[in-house]
Amino acid sequence: MKLVSASFLLVALIISSCFLETTMSGSDFCDSKCAKRCSKAGRRDRCLKYCGICCEKCHCVPSGTFGNKDECPCYRDMKNSKGKPKCP
């Protein structure tokens, strides 16, 4: 019985790690693009957070460290609760 439980646990762990790796690999695009976008930001951690949120929703990040938001209309048009631009 213990052998069956241990085997089941091992298989479940392997399967879950495969799903986790697949999920995390999808954010590599956003991580690299946001790192470039936020490289000169004064509050880098905050910039990376909001850039990551916007990138996941829009699947794009404008080039450069500032401006160029016309390259990605979804990113440009996303607003916060106060009606101001959400994406850095």
Side-chain angles (χ1 to χ4, degrees):
M1 185 66 184
K2 287 184 179 184
L3 181 61
V4 173
S5 297
S7 298
F8 177 75
L9 184 62
L10 182 61
V11 170
L13 183 63
I14 291 170
I15 291 172
S16 65
S17 70
C18 290
F19 285 118
L20 180 63
E21 188 174 321
T22 302
T23 304
M24 290 179 71
S25 67
S27 68
D28 286 345
F29 170 79
C30 290
D31 290 345
S32 64
K33 293 286 187 176
C34 288
K36 289 178 188 173
R37 182 82 178 164
C38 297
S39 64
K40 295 183 179 179
R43 295 183 177 177
R44 191 162 194 262
D45 56 337
R46 191 166 146 186
C47 180
L48 288 170
K49 175 184 174 183
Y50 289 108
C51 180
I53 291 169
C54 295
C55 179
E56 290 294 327
K57 282 192 172 187
C58 298
H59 305 290
C60 65
V61 175
S63 62
T65 56
F66 185 78
N68 302 324
K69 289 187 177 181
D70 289 334
E71 295 175 4
C72 185
C74 170
Y75 190 97
R76 175 194 65 210
D77 297 338
M78 200 174 295
K79 306 288 184 203
N80 65 16
S81 60
K82 296 178 182 176
K84 296 193 177 193
K86 181 173 191 157
C87 306

